[in-house]
Amino acid sequence: MIAPEGGRDSVFMRSALAEAVAAGAAGEVPVGAVLVRGEDIIATGANKPISACDPTAHAEIEALRAGARTMGGYRLTDTTLYVTLEPCVMCAAAIVHARVRRLVFGAFDPRAGGAGSIANVFALPGLNHRVDVFGGVLMQECARLLQEFFAQRRD
């Protein structure tokens, strides 16, 4: 994992947190993502597998799909994806295939994380693209949002 790019990562992670809040308000697990190129957010995504009846509609996938439409192709080179929760294995593989340059995530996911918690997709030998990965940006805020969501569900 590489060092964050100063306060820039926190600024964009706050945008991802806003997407996560919207997902939670819609009854989805509160995970949000933003795709950045240069200094601009070019796509956003929020979890919506329940409302979309789509098990692949994770925040990262939604942001990658929107980014591909914005850029006119699936190769999202020179982009950074900010996501509030460590991507699962499915999302990690999609990030590699999309050629995202950099991934920044908030909370670690010890049950399903594909960036080192249960597996590290980004370190698999033989992949034709490498993603620079950094976790833990605004980790407490990202984790708290998830914890509060699940605590309400249990009550």
Side-chain angles (χ1 to χ4, degrees):
M1 295 198 189
I2 62 169
E5 294 179 358
R8 179 179 194 269
D9 285 345
S10 294
V11 169
F12 288 121
M13 187 60 74
R14 291 202 186 284
S15 295
L17 273 164
E19 294 295 321
V21 168
E28 302 279 358
V29 175
V31 178
V34 297
L35 186 66
V36 175
R37 189 165 194 201
E39 296 300 316
D40 300 317
I41 294 174
I42 62 167
T44 63
N47 256 11
K48 62 178 190 180
I50 297 167
S51 61
C53 297
D54 180 354
T56 70
H58 292 192
E60 301 94 323
I61 301 296
E62 295 298 306
L64 293 174
R65 287 175 178 158
R69 286 189 297 271
T70 297
M71 291 180 66
Y74 76 93
R75 290 191 176 181
L76 305 175
T77 56
D78 297 323
T79 61
T80 299
L81 182 65
Y82 293 86
V83 62
T84 57
L85 181 65
E86 178 183 0
C88 69
V89 171
M90 173 188 71
C91 291
I95 291 163
V96 170
H97 288 294
R99 312 296 200 282
V100 170
R101 179 180 60 86
R102 191 164 178 264
L103 166 69
V104 179
F105 65 89
F108 288 83
D109 187 351
R111 292 187 178 146
S117 288
I118 65 161
N120 190 348
V121 171
F122 302 102
L124 291 174
L127 292 178
N128 64 346
H129 177 72
R130 294 287 170 210
V131 178
D132 294 328
V133 179
F134 183 77
V137 173
L138 301 183
M139 180 170 53
Q140 288 81 12
E141 291 177 52
C142 294
R144 184 172 41 253
L145 184 61
L146 288 158
Q147 290 163 351
E148 289 171 358
F149 176 82
F150 286 113
Q152 290 174 355
R153 291 275 193 245
R154 287 189 294 270
D155 291 341

